[in-house]
Amino acid sequence: MEYQNLSYASGLRKFKERPVHVTCPRCSQIADQKAGKMRKDLSLECPYCGLDFLPSECRCIGG
Ligand SMILES: [Zn+2]
């Protein structure tokens, strides 16, 4: 529910500590990832299928 306010919350300073919902490009499962990793474009690991991917490769962030 709180993620509906993400666009407005993105200006907040604590944003990097918050989990972000990312849709896996392979299995389409949604997992929480660390916003700090996303901002640095570090690789993320899908907990469902184990795929490593970069935030910049995924267009389904924030869903
Ligand atoms: Zn996956």
Side-chain angles (χ1 to χ4, degrees), residues 15-56:
F15 182 61
K16 74 171 188 176
E17 302 298 332
R18 309 198 66 190
V20 177
H21 288 174
V22 178
T23 304
C24 175
R26 181 197 277 168
C27 70
S28 299
Q29 294 286 341
I30 297 171
D32 287 345
Q33 303 284 358
K34 295 202 169 127
K37 278 193 157 189
M38 316 265 312
R39 292 183 60 175
K40 292 177 190 167
D41 201 30
L42 297 176
S43 69
L44 306 173
E45 183 177 356
C46 173
Y48 299 95
C49 71
L51 176 70
D52 285 320
F53 61 97
L54 294 173
S56 57

